[in-house]
Amino acid sequence: MTDLTACLAALVFLVFAGHRLAISRRGRTDPAQRDVAGFALCAGTAMLLNAPAVLGVVDRLIPSPDGELLVANQLKAAAAAFLCLVAQALDPQGPRPVPAHRRRRIHAAVLVQLTAFGLFLGAGITESGTVAVAAPGRGWALAAYNVLFTAYLCWCLYVLGRALIRQSRRTPPGSLRTGLALATLATAIATVWALWALDDVAENVTRGRQGLDEDLMSTTLGMVTAVFAAAGATATLWGERIAAPLRWLRARRTHQRLAPLWSALYAELPEIALDPGAAGRRPGLRRADFALYRRVIEIRDGTLALRPYQRPETVDRAMEALSRSALTGPDRQAVFEAAVIAAALEGKRAGTPPTGTPDQKTPTPTVVLETVEDEAAWLVRVTRAFTRSGIVADVRDRIRSQVTTG
């Protein structure tokens, strides 16, 4: 199982790295994508080297019996350094120019690599099967080697996570922001993955030993990190393909939720239908956006056509009933608008002659309605009140009684 998860994680990282490099060569992305590819290439190769099945093959290729641990960790540190460079591209803040800041981070990465290499040599590592063994009394050097790498990885991940959060706050909703959120989640999981390596430190100090291969938890965290990182970095490619069908589904669902109010208006005012042939039909998925837009217009046309049938006493009665209720804010306004619409419909249905455009205006929400989606969401509230509110039902019943007794 450990072999499988390690190899799957490595495959995701390496395929993703190849994809980023291919796009970069075609000049379709910014230069920071090379840093993303560098991270994925180093992380994927490191994961591959840690797979138990690969260790036997590597033993025949690398003369040093302790080389697997050194190469794998150096590759992880290089991957972390690439993440710092990606963070710099995402959030180029600070007094230094970007090239100077980039060189500073590269110098820090080189210093960490050299220091770690010195500690590794100082530990006098030898191999015993799939276990690295420090020279007698040198377990502290092996522990310091692991602590240095873990601290550096966590610092790089912190720098990247901070840059991702800042960039996400500046990015409007959409596939790019979704990608940033997924990348931030991958960074958090990668931090747990890096900290998991500290479980070797106690054994480094007490016994001077460390396993060359990673355990199942470590490889699983690596695989999850790889999946979320790849998904986040490619969100702009797949996000719109998924977002469009989801938007169509939401539009069709909203279209159906407006059906009770629209049907009541259409029954008395069939002329509101902009497309009589499509009136009452459930729209196809791809045409749901347009159908929702048309339905919103038709409902608003219907409410305007009903204004001559509004009565001041109806508005007063609705206000009086609302004053006794616990409703506040948008819910109160939606019930008010639904009550006025219901009363006007009853008046027209009973054949009450119109009185001309009343002085009062049709109640409008105080919430900002800037888009069709905003308007549709508001009308869903009104429709819900139109069909479920006891206040609206009471106003409707009173109008019916007046018409019957009149």
Side-chain angles (χ1 to χ4, degrees):
M1 190 65 178
T2 303
D3 270 331
L4 178 62
T5 53
C7 289
L8 284 176
L11 179 63
V12 173
F13 274 126
L14 294 174
V15 170
F16 172 56
H19 179 260
R20 293 289 95 183
L21 286 173
I23 292 178
S24 296
R25 286 181 180 178
R26 291 197 293 268
R28 290 169 52 190
T29 57
D30 58 276
Q33 290 298 335
R34 298 190 187 94
D35 297 327
V36 175
F39 153 73
L41 184 62
C42 291
T45 307
M47 287 295 298
L48 199 60
L49 288 175
N50 283 135
V54 179
L55 288 176
V57 178
V58 175
D59 279 337
R60 294 193 293 270
L61 300 177
I62 301 178
S64 172
D66 53 357
E68 300 95 327
L69 180 62
L70 176 64
V71 173
N73 282 344
Q74 299 290 104
L75 284 170
K76 289 179 183 178
F82 278 117
L83 290 181
C84 267
L85 299 180
V86 173
Q88 175 63 37
L90 286 173
D91 192 23
Q93 297 182 357
R96 290 185 175 84
V98 172
H101 207 162
R102 183 181 176 89
R103 284 195 298 270
R104 185 179 174 217
R105 293 188 173 181
I106 293 174
H107 293 160
V110 172
L111 179 61
V112 169
Q113 294 275 19
L114 292 176
T115 304
F117 186 71
L119 287 171
F120 189 86
L121 292 180
I125 302 293
T126 57
E127 183 182 356
S128 176
T130 59
V131 177
V133 182
R138 304 278 186 84
W140 64 268
L142 182 57
Y145 170 79
N146 284 312
V147 169
L148 174 63
F149 267 124
T150 301
Y152 180 67
L153 291 175
C154 289
W155 178 78
C156 291
L157 290 166
Y158 162 74
V159 171
L160 177 63
R162 182 181 59 186
L164 287 169
I165 291 172
R166 287 176 176 172
Q167 183 67 23
S168 181
R169 289 172 179 170
R170 297 191 293 261
T171 304
S175 58
L176 180 56
R177 188 168 181 174
T178 300
L180 291 169
L182 290 172
T184 303
L185 181 58
T187 303
I189 298 171
T191 303
V192 178
W193 180 26
L195 291 171
W196 190 259
L198 292 177
D199 68 341
D200 293 322
V201 173
E203 190 175 17
N204 296 158
V205 175
T206 57
R207 303 178 61 190
R209 298 163 59 89
Q210 179 174 331
L212 293 175
D213 54 345
E214 296 197 47
D215 57 26
L216 180 59
M217 177 60 74
S218 181
T219 55
T220 300
L221 288 171
M223 181 176 66
V224 175
T225 299
V227 170
F228 278 106
T234 58
T236 53
L237 300 178
W238 56 262
E240 191 58 33
R241 297 177 183 176
I242 294 178
L246 291 177
R247 187 179 67 251
W248 297 336
L249 285 170
R250 286 195 301 269
R252 190 162 70 174
R253 182 167 178 263
T254 303
H255 183 274
Q256 290 300 112
R257 292 173 73 182
L258 293 176
L261 179 58
W262 178 87
S263 297
L265 292 169
Y266 178 70
E268 295 301 320
L269 301 163
E271 64 272 16
I272 66 172
L274 299 177
D275 182 2
R281 284 208 314 257
R282 188 177 185 182
L285 191 60
R286 289 181 178 273
R287 295 186 58 82
D289 278 337
F290 180 74
L292 176 61
Y293 178 66
R294 185 176 60 215
R295 176 151 289 185
V296 167
I297 292 175
E298 290 172 348
I299 290 176
R300 282 309 182 195
D301 286 347
T303 58
L304 287 174
L306 286 175
R307 290 192 66 194
Y309 296 91
Q310 294 176 15
R311 297 292 189 273
E313 61 271 20
T314 301
V315 175
D316 294 340
R317 189 173 294 115
M319 290 296 295
E320 181 183 349
L322 283 169
S323 67
R324 296 193 301 268
S325 72
L327 294 173
T328 59
D331 288 335
R332 183 187 183 99
Q333 296 165 12
V335 170
F336 184 41
E337 183 170 346
V340 173
I341 293 173
L345 273 172
E346 289 299 323
K348 185 175 187 311
R349 186 178 294 119
T352 304
T355 60
T357 303
D359 293 334
Q360 81 275 5
K361 296 182 178 179
T362 302
T364 55
T366 57
V367 293
V368 179
L369 305 178
E370 295 182 341
T371 65
V372 175
E373 289 77 14
D374 294 338
E375 184 76 20
W378 171 253
L379 289 176
V380 167
R381 281 179 179 265
V382 176
T383 302
R384 189 184 301 118
F386 184 81
T387 56
R388 301 179 186 178
S389 171
I391 294 174
V392 175
D394 180 64
V395 169
R396 186 184 290 118
D397 291 341
R398 285 176 179 267
I399 296 298
R400 288 175 180 171
S401 299
Q402 290 176 2
V403 170
T404 301
T405 57

